[in-house]
Every structure is written in structure tokens, then in C-alpha cells.
mmCIF file of all heavy atoms in Angstrom:
data_model
loop_
_atom_site.group_PDB
_atom_site.id
_atom_site.type_symbol
_atom_site.label_atom_id
_atom_site.label_comp_id
_atom_site.label_asym_id
_atom_site.label_seq_id
_atom_site.Cartn_x
_atom_site.Cartn_y
_atom_site.Cartn_z
ATOM 1 N N MET A 1 -0.434 -32.929 16.474
ATOM 2 C CA MET A 1 -1.802 -32.575 16.186
ATOM 3 C C MET A 1 -1.822 -31.554 15.058
ATOM 4 O O MET A 1 -1.021 -30.633 15.037
ATOM 5 C CB MET A 1 -2.442 -32.012 17.452
ATOM 6 C CG MET A 1 -3.893 -31.658 17.289
ATOM 7 S SD MET A 1 -4.582 -31.143 18.861
ATOM 8 C CE MET A 1 -5.822 -32.387 19.015
ATOM 9 N N ASP A 2 -2.723 -31.733 14.127
ATOM 10 C CA ASP A 2 -2.824 -30.815 12.994
ATOM 11 C C ASP A 2 -3.355 -29.468 13.454
ATOM 12 O O ASP A 2 -4.283 -29.395 14.247
ATOM 13 C CB ASP A 2 -3.758 -31.374 11.917
ATOM 14 C CG ASP A 2 -3.152 -32.578 11.235
ATOM 15 O OD1 ASP A 2 -2.064 -32.415 10.670
ATOM 16 O OD2 ASP A 2 -3.761 -33.660 11.279
ATOM 17 N N GLN A 3 -2.748 -28.422 12.910
ATOM 18 C CA GLN A 3 -3.231 -27.079 13.210
ATOM 19 C C GLN A 3 -4.310 -26.708 12.204
ATOM 20 O O GLN A 3 -4.213 -27.051 11.030
ATOM 21 C CB GLN A 3 -2.092 -26.071 13.140
ATOM 22 C CG GLN A 3 -1.069 -26.294 14.239
ATOM 23 C CD GLN A 3 -0.042 -25.186 14.259
ATOM 24 O OE1 GLN A 3 -0.124 -24.243 13.495
ATOM 25 N NE2 GLN A 3 0.927 -25.299 15.150
ATOM 26 N N PRO A 4 -5.354 -26.024 12.663
ATOM 27 C CA PRO A 4 -6.410 -25.635 11.724
ATOM 28 C C PRO A 4 -5.891 -24.640 10.706
ATOM 29 O O PRO A 4 -5.019 -23.829 10.996
ATOM 30 C CB PRO A 4 -7.472 -24.993 12.620
ATOM 31 C CG PRO A 4 -6.762 -24.600 13.866
ATOM 32 C CD PRO A 4 -5.606 -25.552 14.013
ATOM 33 N N GLN A 5 -6.455 -24.729 9.510
ATOM 34 C CA GLN A 5 -6.055 -23.805 8.462
ATOM 35 C C GLN A 5 -6.656 -22.443 8.752
ATOM 36 O O GLN A 5 -7.763 -22.331 9.268
ATOM 37 C CB GLN A 5 -6.530 -24.294 7.103
ATOM 38 C CG GLN A 5 -5.855 -25.565 6.668
ATOM 39 C CD GLN A 5 -6.369 -26.015 5.303
ATOM 40 O OE1 GLN A 5 -7.308 -25.463 4.774
ATOM 41 N NE2 GLN A 5 -5.713 -27.008 4.745
ATOM 42 N N GLU A 6 -5.899 -21.411 8.421
ATOM 43 C CA GLU A 6 -6.395 -20.065 8.633
ATOM 44 C C GLU A 6 -7.480 -19.747 7.610
ATOM 45 O O GLU A 6 -7.426 -20.196 6.473
ATOM 46 C CB GLU A 6 -5.253 -19.061 8.502
ATOM 47 C CG GLU A 6 -4.243 -19.167 9.624
ATOM 48 C CD GLU A 6 -3.173 -18.111 9.509
ATOM 49 O OE1 GLU A 6 -3.475 -17.021 8.990
ATOM 50 O OE2 GLU A 6 -2.049 -18.373 9.933
ATOM 51 N N ASN A 7 -8.472 -18.996 8.048
ATOM 52 C CA ASN A 7 -9.529 -18.571 7.136
ATOM 53 C C ASN A 7 -8.966 -17.568 6.146
ATOM 54 O O ASN A 7 -8.185 -16.700 6.525
ATOM 55 C CB ASN A 7 -10.685 -17.938 7.905
ATOM 56 C CG ASN A 7 -11.414 -18.943 8.760
ATOM 57 O OD1 ASN A 7 -11.384 -20.134 8.481
ATOM 58 N ND2 ASN A 7 -12.059 -18.481 9.809
ATOM 59 N N PRO A 8 -9.384 -17.656 4.898
ATOM 60 C CA PRO A 8 -8.897 -16.679 3.923
ATOM 61 C C PRO A 8 -9.456 -15.297 4.244
ATOM 62 O O PRO A 8 -10.546 -15.164 4.795
ATOM 63 C CB PRO A 8 -9.440 -17.191 2.593
ATOM 64 C CG PRO A 8 -10.609 -18.037 2.970
ATOM 65 C CD PRO A 8 -10.293 -18.620 4.312
ATOM 66 N N SER A 9 -8.710 -14.292 3.919
ATOM 67 C CA SER A 9 -9.142 -12.919 4.165
ATOM 68 C C SER A 9 -10.266 -12.548 3.203
ATOM 69 O O SER A 9 -10.200 -12.822 2.022
ATOM 70 C CB SER A 9 -7.958 -11.965 3.978
ATOM 71 O OG SER A 9 -8.398 -10.637 4.096
ATOM 72 N N TYR A 10 -11.305 -11.929 3.728
ATOM 73 C CA TYR A 10 -12.401 -11.483 2.885
ATOM 74 C C TYR A 10 -12.051 -10.177 2.190
ATOM 75 O O TYR A 10 -12.587 -9.855 1.155
ATOM 76 C CB TYR A 10 -13.672 -11.307 3.716
ATOM 77 C CG TYR A 10 -14.181 -12.629 4.222
ATOM 78 C CD1 TYR A 10 -14.063 -12.963 5.558
ATOM 79 C CD2 TYR A 10 -14.755 -13.547 3.356
ATOM 80 C CE1 TYR A 10 -14.510 -14.182 6.026
ATOM 81 C CE2 TYR A 10 -15.208 -14.761 3.817
ATOM 82 C CZ TYR A 10 -15.088 -15.075 5.150
ATOM 83 O OH TYR A 10 -15.533 -16.281 5.592
ATOM 84 N N CYS A 11 -11.176 -9.402 2.794
ATOM 85 C CA CYS A 11 -10.750 -8.126 2.219
ATOM 86 C C CYS A 11 -9.241 -8.168 2.036
ATOM 87 O O CYS A 11 -8.505 -7.998 2.997
ATOM 88 C CB CYS A 11 -11.120 -6.962 3.125
ATOM 89 S SG CYS A 11 -12.873 -6.785 3.362
ATOM 90 N N PRO A 12 -8.776 -8.426 0.831
ATOM 91 C CA PRO A 12 -7.326 -8.493 0.639
ATOM 92 C C PRO A 12 -6.674 -7.144 0.897
ATOM 93 O O PRO A 12 -7.281 -6.092 0.681
ATOM 94 C CB PRO A 12 -7.181 -8.912 -0.823
ATOM 95 C CG PRO A 12 -8.467 -8.494 -1.458
ATOM 96 C CD PRO A 12 -9.513 -8.591 -0.398
ATOM 97 N N ALA A 13 -5.464 -7.192 1.390
ATOM 98 C CA ALA A 13 -4.719 -5.962 1.653
ATOM 99 C C ALA A 13 -4.386 -5.282 0.336
ATOM 100 O O ALA A 13 -4.202 -5.947 -0.686
ATOM 101 C CB ALA A 13 -3.439 -6.293 2.410
ATOM 102 N N PRO A 14 -4.316 -3.949 0.336
ATOM 103 C CA PRO A 14 -3.946 -3.260 -0.900
ATOM 104 C C PRO A 14 -2.556 -3.689 -1.352
ATOM 105 O O PRO A 14 -1.663 -3.873 -0.530
ATOM 106 C CB PRO A 14 -3.970 -1.783 -0.531
ATOM 107 C CG PRO A 14 -4.392 -1.696 0.877
ATOM 108 C CD PRO A 14 -4.570 -3.061 1.437
ATOM 109 N N ALA A 15 -2.417 -3.860 -2.610
ATOM 110 C CA ALA A 15 -1.139 -4.316 -3.159
ATOM 111 C C ALA A 15 -0.136 -3.177 -3.197
ATOM 112 O O ALA A 15 -0.478 -2.048 -3.521
ATOM 113 C CB ALA A 15 -1.347 -4.864 -4.557
ATOM 114 N N ALA A 16 1.089 -3.485 -2.844
ATOM 115 C CA ALA A 16 2.170 -2.509 -2.975
ATOM 116 C C ALA A 16 2.511 -2.389 -4.452
ATOM 117 O O ALA A 16 2.294 -3.321 -5.222
ATOM 118 C CB ALA A 16 3.383 -2.970 -2.185
ATOM 119 N N PRO A 17 3.026 -1.253 -4.850
ATOM 120 C CA PRO A 17 3.395 -1.111 -6.257
ATOM 121 C C PRO A 17 4.362 -2.214 -6.681
ATOM 122 O O PRO A 17 5.321 -2.509 -5.981
ATOM 123 C CB PRO A 17 4.073 0.254 -6.325
ATOM 124 C CG PRO A 17 3.536 1.002 -5.156
ATOM 125 C CD PRO A 17 3.283 -0.046 -4.090
ATOM 126 N N ALA A 18 4.078 -2.845 -7.795
ATOM 127 C CA ALA A 18 4.936 -3.919 -8.298
ATOM 128 C C ALA A 18 6.257 -3.342 -8.764
ATOM 129 O O ALA A 18 6.302 -2.287 -9.381
ATOM 130 C CB ALA A 18 4.246 -4.632 -9.447
ATOM 131 N N GLY A 19 7.322 -4.009 -8.446
ATOM 132 C CA GLY A 19 8.633 -3.567 -8.901
ATOM 133 C C GLY A 19 9.071 -2.271 -8.260
ATOM 134 O O GLY A 19 9.510 -1.371 -8.948
ATOM 135 N N GLN A 20 8.938 -2.173 -6.927
ATOM 136 C CA GLN A 20 9.332 -0.952 -6.229
ATOM 137 C C GLN A 20 10.795 -0.651 -6.501
ATOM 138 O O GLN A 20 11.645 -1.523 -6.426
ATOM 139 C CB GLN A 20 9.106 -1.114 -4.731
ATOM 140 C CG GLN A 20 9.500 0.101 -3.933
ATOM 141 C CD GLN A 20 9.224 -0.091 -2.447
ATOM 142 O OE1 GLN A 20 8.531 -1.018 -2.057
ATOM 143 N NE2 GLN A 20 9.776 0.760 -1.636
ATOM 144 N N VAL A 21 11.068 0.599 -6.855
ATOM 145 C CA VAL A 21 12.418 1.031 -7.164
ATOM 146 C C VAL A 21 12.877 1.968 -6.060
ATOM 147 O O VAL A 21 12.162 2.903 -5.713
ATOM 148 C CB VAL A 21 12.449 1.767 -8.530
ATOM 149 C CG1 VAL A 21 13.834 2.260 -8.845
ATOM 150 C CG2 VAL A 21 11.936 0.860 -9.622
ATOM 151 N N PRO A 22 14.050 1.705 -5.466
ATOM 152 C CA PRO A 22 14.517 2.588 -4.405
ATOM 153 C C PRO A 22 14.902 3.960 -4.940
ATOM 154 O O PRO A 22 15.267 4.108 -6.100
ATOM 155 C CB PRO A 22 15.718 1.854 -3.826
ATOM 156 C CG PRO A 22 16.195 0.970 -4.923
ATOM 157 C CD PRO A 22 14.980 0.624 -5.738
ATOM 158 N N GLY A 23 14.820 4.966 -4.102
ATOM 159 C CA GLY A 23 15.225 6.324 -4.472
ATOM 160 C C GLY A 23 16.514 6.645 -3.784
ATOM 161 O O GLY A 23 17.087 5.799 -3.149
ATOM 162 N N PRO A 24 17.027 7.828 -3.819
ATOM 163 C CA PRO A 24 16.505 8.977 -4.526
ATOM 164 C C PRO A 24 16.814 8.913 -6.017
ATOM 165 O O PRO A 24 17.650 8.122 -6.394
ATOM 166 C CB PRO A 24 17.190 10.149 -3.846
ATOM 167 C CG PRO A 24 18.472 9.629 -3.296
ATOM 168 C CD PRO A 24 18.234 8.142 -3.057
ATOM 169 N N PRO A 25 16.245 9.687 -6.838
ATOM 170 C CA PRO A 25 15.178 10.651 -6.554
ATOM 171 C C PRO A 25 13.877 9.927 -6.295
ATOM 172 O O PRO A 25 13.628 8.853 -6.826
ATOM 173 C CB PRO A 25 15.108 11.497 -7.818
ATOM 174 C CG PRO A 25 15.564 10.588 -8.898
ATOM 175 C CD PRO A 25 16.597 9.680 -8.258
ATOM 176 N N TYR A 26 13.052 10.533 -5.455
ATOM 177 C CA TYR A 26 11.775 9.949 -5.072
ATOM 178 C C TYR A 26 10.640 10.501 -5.927
ATOM 179 O O TYR A 26 10.646 11.666 -6.297
ATOM 180 C CB TYR A 26 11.491 10.206 -3.595
ATOM 181 C CG TYR A 26 12.493 9.521 -2.698
ATOM 182 C CD1 TYR A 26 13.521 10.217 -2.101
ATOM 183 C CD2 TYR A 26 12.410 8.152 -2.469
ATOM 184 C CE1 TYR A 26 14.451 9.586 -1.292
ATOM 185 C CE2 TYR A 26 13.333 7.505 -1.662
ATOM 186 C CZ TYR A 26 14.343 8.225 -1.073
ATOM 187 O OH TYR A 26 15.258 7.589 -0.276
ATOM 188 N N ALA A 27 9.662 9.630 -6.191
ATOM 189 C CA ALA A 27 8.498 10.031 -6.978
ATOM 190 C C ALA A 27 7.574 10.897 -6.124
ATOM 191 O O ALA A 27 7.551 10.774 -4.906
ATOM 192 C CB ALA A 27 7.752 8.799 -7.459
ATOM 193 N N ASP A 28 6.824 11.769 -6.762
ATOM 194 C CA ASP A 28 5.836 12.584 -6.065
ATOM 195 C C ASP A 28 4.532 11.801 -5.949
ATOM 196 O O ASP A 28 4.153 11.054 -6.848
ATOM 197 C CB ASP A 28 5.577 13.890 -6.816
ATOM 198 C CG ASP A 28 6.780 14.823 -6.800
ATOM 199 O OD1 ASP A 28 7.591 14.728 -5.856
ATOM 200 O OD2 ASP A 28 6.902 15.636 -7.723
ATOM 201 N N CYS A 29 3.826 12.014 -4.840
ATOM 202 C CA CYS A 29 2.535 11.389 -4.595
ATOM 203 C C CYS A 29 1.535 11.884 -5.638
ATOM 204 O O CYS A 29 1.479 13.077 -5.951
ATOM 205 C CB CYS A 29 2.047 11.738 -3.196
ATOM 206 S SG CYS A 29 0.411 11.121 -2.805
ATOM 207 N N LEU A 30 0.750 10.972 -6.181
ATOM 208 C CA LEU A 30 -0.235 11.351 -7.185
ATOM 209 C C LEU A 30 -1.439 12.074 -6.576
ATOM 210 O O LEU A 30 -2.188 12.730 -7.285
ATOM 211 C CB LEU A 30 -0.706 10.124 -7.956
ATOM 212 C CG LEU A 30 0.374 9.447 -8.796
ATOM 213 C CD1 LEU A 30 -0.175 8.204 -9.457
ATOM 214 C CD2 LEU A 30 0.917 10.400 -9.836
ATOM 215 N N GLU A 31 -1.640 11.964 -5.259
ATOM 216 C CA GLU A 31 -2.758 12.623 -4.592
ATOM 217 C C GLU A 31 -2.398 14.034 -4.126
ATOM 218 O O GLU A 31 -3.104 14.976 -4.417
ATOM 219 C CB GLU A 31 -3.222 11.793 -3.389
ATOM 220 C CG GLU A 31 -3.811 10.449 -3.766
ATOM 221 C CD GLU A 31 -5.203 10.568 -4.351
ATOM 222 O OE1 GLU A 31 -5.965 11.443 -3.918
ATOM 223 O OE2 GLU A 31 -5.513 9.771 -5.239
ATOM 224 N N CYS A 32 -1.304 14.150 -3.364
ATOM 225 C CA CYS A 32 -0.989 15.437 -2.733
ATOM 226 C C CYS A 32 0.281 16.094 -3.260
ATOM 227 O O CYS A 32 0.532 17.259 -2.970
ATOM 228 C CB CYS A 32 -0.893 15.270 -1.219
ATOM 229 S SG CYS A 32 0.521 14.278 -0.686
ATOM 230 N N GLY A 33 1.110 15.352 -3.991
ATOM 231 C CA GLY A 33 2.323 15.926 -4.563
ATOM 232 C C GLY A 33 3.539 15.881 -3.664
ATOM 233 O O GLY A 33 4.622 16.295 -4.066
ATOM 234 N N LYS A 34 3.395 15.352 -2.435
ATOM 235 C CA LYS A 34 4.545 15.254 -1.524
ATOM 236 C C LYS A 34 5.424 14.078 -1.956
ATOM 237 O O LYS A 34 4.971 13.160 -2.628
ATOM 238 C CB LYS A 34 4.058 15.048 -0.092
ATOM 239 C CG LYS A 34 3.342 16.253 0.468
ATOM 240 C CD LYS A 34 2.938 16.006 1.898
ATOM 241 C CE LYS A 34 2.183 17.222 2.434
ATOM 242 N NZ LYS A 34 1.726 17.000 3.806
ATOM 243 N N PRO A 35 6.709 14.094 -1.552
ATOM 244 C CA PRO A 35 7.601 12.980 -1.904
ATOM 245 C C PRO A 35 7.122 11.662 -1.290
ATOM 246 O O PRO A 35 6.571 11.640 -0.203
ATOM 247 C CB PRO A 35 8.950 13.382 -1.307
ATOM 248 C CG PRO A 35 8.854 14.843 -1.061
ATOM 249 C CD PRO A 35 7.410 15.150 -0.842
ATOM 250 N N THR A 36 7.340 10.568 -2.018
ATOM 251 C CA THR A 36 6.956 9.240 -1.544
ATOM 252 C C THR A 36 8.191 8.483 -1.104
ATOM 253 O O THR A 36 9.298 9.022 -1.107
ATOM 254 C CB THR A 36 6.247 8.451 -2.663
ATOM 255 O OG1 THR A 36 7.201 8.195 -3.697
ATOM 256 C CG2 THR A 36 5.065 9.209 -3.224
ATOM 257 N N GLU A 37 8.003 7.217 -0.758
ATOM 258 C CA GLU A 37 9.119 6.343 -0.392
ATOM 259 C C GLU A 37 9.611 5.547 -1.600
ATOM 260 O O GLU A 37 10.445 4.678 -1.466
ATOM 261 C CB GLU A 37 8.665 5.367 0.697
ATOM 262 C CG GLU A 37 8.204 6.055 1.961
ATOM 263 C CD GLU A 37 7.613 5.085 2.968
ATOM 264 O OE1 GLU A 37 7.121 4.011 2.555
ATOM 265 O OE2 GLU A 37 7.624 5.418 4.150
ATOM 266 N N TYR A 38 9.069 5.825 -2.779
ATOM 267 C CA TYR A 38 9.372 5.063 -3.984
ATOM 268 C C TYR A 38 10.188 5.898 -4.959
ATOM 269 O O TYR A 38 9.990 7.100 -5.095
ATOM 270 C CB TYR A 38 8.070 4.611 -4.661
ATOM 271 C CG TYR A 38 7.130 3.914 -3.713
ATOM 272 C CD1 TYR A 38 5.992 4.542 -3.243
ATOM 273 C CD2 TYR A 38 7.404 2.628 -3.273
ATOM 274 C CE1 TYR A 38 5.137 3.896 -2.357
ATOM 275 C CE2 TYR A 38 6.565 1.976 -2.392
ATOM 276 C CZ TYR A 38 5.427 2.614 -1.934
ATOM 277 O OH TYR A 38 4.595 1.977 -1.063
ATOM 278 N N GLY A 39 11.078 5.238 -5.667
ATOM 279 C CA GLY A 39 11.876 5.916 -6.674
ATOM 280 C C GLY A 39 11.033 6.351 -7.864
ATOM 281 O O GLY A 39 9.930 5.850 -8.078
ATOM 282 N N VAL A 40 11.536 7.297 -8.633
ATOM 283 C CA VAL A 40 10.774 7.837 -9.764
ATOM 284 C C VAL A 40 10.484 6.788 -10.831
ATOM 285 O O VAL A 40 9.540 6.939 -11.592
ATOM 286 C CB VAL A 40 11.484 9.056 -10.404
ATOM 287 C CG1 VAL A 40 11.518 10.218 -9.448
ATOM 288 C CG2 VAL A 40 12.874 8.707 -10.868
ATOM 289 N N ALA A 41 11.257 5.720 -10.907
ATOM 290 C CA ALA A 41 11.048 4.693 -11.930
ATOM 291 C C ALA A 41 10.079 3.600 -11.479
ATOM 292 O O ALA A 41 9.862 2.642 -12.208
ATOM 293 C CB ALA A 41 12.389 4.066 -12.315
ATOM 294 N N THR A 42 9.460 3.732 -10.289
ATOM 295 C CA THR A 42 8.514 2.731 -9.804
ATOM 296 C C THR A 42 7.255 2.764 -10.667
ATOM 297 O O THR A 42 6.641 3.818 -10.814
ATOM 298 C CB THR A 42 8.141 3.007 -8.339
ATOM 299 O OG1 THR A 42 9.319 2.993 -7.546
ATOM 300 C CG2 THR A 42 7.162 1.961 -7.816
ATOM 301 N N PRO A 43 6.856 1.627 -11.235
ATOM 302 C CA PRO A 43 5.650 1.608 -12.070
ATOM 303 C C PRO A 43 4.383 1.646 -11.223
ATOM 304 O O PRO A 43 4.392 1.274 -10.048
ATOM 305 C CB PRO A 43 5.765 0.274 -12.811
ATOM 306 C CG PRO A 43 6.569 -0.583 -11.910
ATOM 307 C CD PRO A 43 7.519 0.342 -11.192
ATOM 308 N N GLY A 44 3.309 2.100 -11.811
ATOM 309 C CA GLY A 44 2.014 2.100 -11.146
ATOM 310 C C GLY A 44 1.771 3.360 -10.342
ATOM 311 O O GLY A 44 2.502 4.344 -10.440
ATOM 312 N N VAL A 45 0.717 3.330 -9.528
ATOM 313 C CA VAL A 45 0.317 4.466 -8.714
ATOM 314 C C VAL A 45 1.191 4.508 -7.468
ATOM 315 O O VAL A 45 1.295 3.521 -6.742
ATOM 316 C CB VAL A 45 -1.167 4.349 -8.315
ATOM 317 C CG1 VAL A 45 -1.572 5.465 -7.390
ATOM 318 C CG2 VAL A 45 -2.038 4.333 -9.549
ATOM 319 N N VAL A 46 1.827 5.631 -7.232
ATOM 320 C CA VAL A 46 2.643 5.794 -6.031
ATOM 321 C C VAL A 46 2.032 6.887 -5.169
ATOM 322 O O VAL A 46 1.677 7.952 -5.647
ATOM 323 C CB VAL A 46 4.117 6.106 -6.353
ATOM 324 C CG1 VAL A 46 4.802 4.912 -6.959
ATOM 325 C CG2 VAL A 46 4.251 7.290 -7.274
ATOM 326 N N LEU A 47 1.886 6.575 -3.881
ATOM 327 C CA LEU A 47 1.313 7.502 -2.928
ATOM 328 C C LEU A 47 2.261 7.668 -1.747
ATOM 329 O O LEU A 47 3.023 6.760 -1.414
ATOM 330 C CB LEU A 47 -0.031 6.986 -2.418
ATOM 331 C CG LEU A 47 -1.115 6.714 -3.457
ATOM 332 C CD1 LEU A 47 -2.321 6.058 -2.797
ATOM 333 C CD2 LEU A 47 -1.526 7.991 -4.154
ATOM 334 N N CYS A 48 2.186 8.837 -1.098
ATOM 335 C CA CYS A 48 2.968 9.055 0.116
ATOM 336 C C CYS A 48 2.358 8.208 1.229
ATOM 337 O O CYS A 48 1.234 7.715 1.100
ATOM 338 C CB CYS A 48 2.982 10.541 0.479
ATOM 339 S SG CYS A 48 1.403 11.171 1.067
ATOM 340 N N PRO A 49 3.052 8.009 2.347
ATOM 341 C CA PRO A 49 2.516 7.171 3.426
ATOM 342 C C PRO A 49 1.147 7.639 3.934
ATOM 343 O O PRO A 49 0.285 6.821 4.230
ATOM 344 C CB PRO A 49 3.580 7.270 4.517
ATOM 345 C CG PRO A 49 4.843 7.558 3.780
ATOM 346 C CD PRO A 49 4.435 8.416 2.618
ATOM 347 N N VAL A 50 0.928 8.944 4.039
ATOM 348 C CA VAL A 50 -0.350 9.454 4.528
ATOM 349 C C VAL A 50 -1.470 9.112 3.557
ATOM 350 O O VAL A 50 -2.530 8.612 3.957
ATOM 351 C CB VAL A 50 -0.277 10.984 4.765
ATOM 352 C CG1 VAL A 50 -1.641 11.553 5.102
ATOM 353 C CG2 VAL A 50 0.732 11.323 5.848
ATOM 354 N N CYS A 51 -1.262 9.346 2.272
ATOM 355 C CA CYS A 51 -2.292 9.043 1.274
ATOM 356 C C CYS A 51 -2.510 7.541 1.139
ATOM 357 O O CYS A 51 -3.633 7.098 0.899
ATOM 358 C CB CYS A 51 -1.941 9.672 -0.072
ATOM 359 S SG CYS A 51 -2.058 11.485 -0.056
ATOM 360 N N GLU A 52 -1.457 6.726 1.302
ATOM 361 C CA GLU A 52 -1.618 5.271 1.278
ATOM 362 C C GLU A 52 -2.528 4.838 2.424
ATOM 363 O O GLU A 52 -3.411 4.003 2.255
ATOM 364 C CB GLU A 52 -0.265 4.561 1.402
ATOM 365 C CG GLU A 52 0.518 4.508 0.123
ATOM 366 C CD GLU A 52 1.823 3.729 0.273
ATOM 367 O OE1 GLU A 52 2.169 3.315 1.404
ATOM 368 O OE2 GLU A 52 2.481 3.539 -0.745
ATOM 369 N N TRP A 53 -2.311 5.416 3.611
ATOM 370 C CA TRP A 53 -3.115 5.074 4.779
ATOM 371 C C TRP A 53 -4.574 5.472 4.541
ATOM 372 O O TRP A 53 -5.494 4.703 4.810
ATOM 373 C CB TRP A 53 -2.552 5.785 6.006
ATOM 374 C CG TRP A 53 -3.319 5.499 7.252
ATOM 375 C CD1 TRP A 53 -4.333 6.237 7.782
ATOM 376 C CD2 TRP A 53 -3.151 4.381 8.114
ATOM 377 N NE1 TRP A 53 -4.790 5.648 8.929
ATOM 378 C CE2 TRP A 53 -4.087 4.514 9.157
ATOM 379 C CE3 TRP A 53 -2.286 3.287 8.108
ATOM 380 C CZ2 TRP A 53 -4.187 3.577 10.180
ATOM 381 C CZ3 TRP A 53 -2.395 2.376 9.146
ATOM 382 C CH2 TRP A 53 -3.332 2.514 10.161
ATOM 383 N N GLN A 54 -4.788 6.673 4.037
ATOM 384 C CA GLN A 54 -6.145 7.142 3.788
ATOM 385 C C GLN A 54 -6.831 6.302 2.721
ATOM 386 O O GLN A 54 -8.024 6.007 2.822
ATOM 387 C CB GLN A 54 -6.140 8.615 3.392
ATOM 388 C CG GLN A 54 -5.754 9.518 4.550
ATOM 389 C CD GLN A 54 -5.546 10.962 4.133
ATOM 390 O OE1 GLN A 54 -5.428 11.279 2.950
ATOM 391 N NE2 GLN A 54 -5.502 11.851 5.110
ATOM 392 N N ASP A 55 -6.096 5.909 1.693
ATOM 393 C CA ASP A 55 -6.666 5.064 0.635
ATOM 394 C C ASP A 55 -7.039 3.695 1.211
ATOM 395 O O ASP A 55 -8.082 3.141 0.856
ATOM 396 C CB ASP A 55 -5.661 4.916 -0.508
ATOM 397 C CG ASP A 55 -6.249 4.174 -1.686
ATOM 398 O OD1 ASP A 55 -7.316 4.593 -2.176
ATOM 399 O OD2 ASP A 55 -5.637 3.177 -2.115
ATOM 400 N N ALA A 56 -6.211 3.157 2.093
ATOM 401 C CA ALA A 56 -6.509 1.861 2.714
ATOM 402 C C ALA A 56 -7.755 1.973 3.580
ATOM 403 O O ALA A 56 -8.583 1.049 3.609
ATOM 404 C CB ALA A 56 -5.323 1.391 3.536
ATOM 405 N N GLU A 57 -7.923 3.085 4.296
ATOM 406 C CA GLU A 57 -9.122 3.274 5.115
ATOM 407 C C GLU A 57 -10.378 3.338 4.241
ATOM 408 O O GLU A 57 -11.406 2.781 4.601
ATOM 409 C CB GLU A 57 -9.026 4.571 5.920
ATOM 410 C CG GLU A 57 -8.092 4.480 7.112
ATOM 411 C CD GLU A 57 -8.083 5.767 7.916
ATOM 412 O OE1 GLU A 57 -8.294 6.864 7.341
ATOM 413 O OE2 GLU A 57 -7.859 5.681 9.126
ATOM 414 N N ARG A 58 -10.285 4.016 3.110
ATOM 415 C CA ARG A 58 -11.442 4.143 2.223
ATOM 416 C C ARG A 58 -11.831 2.807 1.604
ATOM 417 O O ARG A 58 -13.002 2.528 1.406
ATOM 418 C CB ARG A 58 -11.153 5.151 1.097
ATOM 419 C CG ARG A 58 -11.223 6.588 1.521
ATOM 420 C CD ARG A 58 -11.171 7.494 0.311
ATOM 421 N NE ARG A 58 -9.917 7.412 -0.418
ATOM 422 C CZ ARG A 58 -8.857 8.177 -0.184
ATOM 423 N NH1 ARG A 58 -8.879 9.085 0.737
ATOM 424 N NH2 ARG A 58 -7.767 8.043 -0.913
ATOM 425 N N SER A 59 -10.840 1.990 1.275
ATOM 426 C CA SER A 59 -11.124 0.752 0.564
ATOM 427 C C SER A 59 -11.310 -0.450 1.491
ATOM 428 O O SER A 59 -11.659 -1.523 1.023
ATOM 429 C CB SER A 59 -10.024 0.465 -0.452
ATOM 430 O OG SER A 59 -8.782 0.278 0.208
ATOM 431 N N ALA A 60 -11.086 -0.274 2.803
ATOM 432 C CA ALA A 60 -11.243 -1.391 3.734
ATOM 433 C C ALA A 60 -12.718 -1.741 3.908
ATOM 434 O O ALA A 60 -13.577 -0.878 3.869
ATOM 435 C CB ALA A 60 -10.635 -1.029 5.084
ATOM 436 N N CYS A 61 -12.969 -3.014 4.096
ATOM 437 C CA CYS A 61 -14.361 -3.423 4.335
ATOM 438 C C CYS A 61 -14.717 -3.148 5.783
ATOM 439 O O CYS A 61 -13.856 -3.116 6.652
ATOM 440 C CB CYS A 61 -14.546 -4.879 3.987
ATOM 441 S SG CYS A 61 -13.659 -6.021 5.050
ATOM 442 N N SER A 62 -15.969 -2.967 6.046
ATOM 443 C CA SER A 62 -16.402 -2.720 7.423
ATOM 444 C C SER A 62 -17.102 -3.955 7.956
ATOM 445 O O SER A 62 -17.809 -4.649 7.243
ATOM 446 C CB SER A 62 -17.333 -1.510 7.480
ATOM 447 O OG SER A 62 -18.460 -1.734 6.688
ATOM 448 N N GLY A 63 -16.888 -4.191 9.237
ATOM 449 C CA GLY A 63 -17.596 -5.211 9.959
ATOM 450 C C GLY A 63 -17.258 -6.565 9.633
ATOM 451 O O GLY A 63 -17.596 -7.569 9.867
#
């Protein structure tokens, strides 16, 4: 029996930084300045886990 196709997400998940580079040395968070989980050569905006979570909460759709 065919399985139904999943509905597409209306709110896409925030994208992880493209080309994540492992550390150390680790890049500083652009919001709070604390160390992140990304190496210093990671392109794009890098945030610490707390700021990533808060940014996801702000940008998530409601209802």
C-alpha cells in the first residue's frame, strides 16, 4: 500500500552555517561573544547554542 506523502513544512528550519569548519580554535558568537561550536574559518553567521536557540524561537512561526 502506498504511504501518503508528507506535507511540506510551512516554516523551514533555520539553516546551519554552510561549510561548517571544526575547531579549535572556535569562533566567537556574533550576539554574545561566547565561544561557539564552529571553527574560526566557518563562513557566515555563527552563534553559540543559546543564541541559536533564541534566534530559532524568534523566527519560528506560531500556530
Side-chain angles (χ1 to χ4, degrees):
M1 182 175 241
D2 291 301
Q3 293 187 3
Q5 294 180 352
E6 292 183 30
N7 292 336
S9 175
Y10 293 108
C11 298
Q20 180 179 347
V21 178
Y26 296 102
D28 292 334
C29 176
L30 295 177
E31 294 285 325
C32 68
K34 292 182 181 178
T36 66
E37 299 174 335
Y38 309 106
V40 294
T42 301
V45 176
V46 291
L47 302 173
C48 70
V50 173
C51 291
E52 281 183 354
W53 180 266
Q54 291 172 346
D55 186 54
E57 284 183 330
R58 283 190 296 270
S59 63
C61 67
S62 60

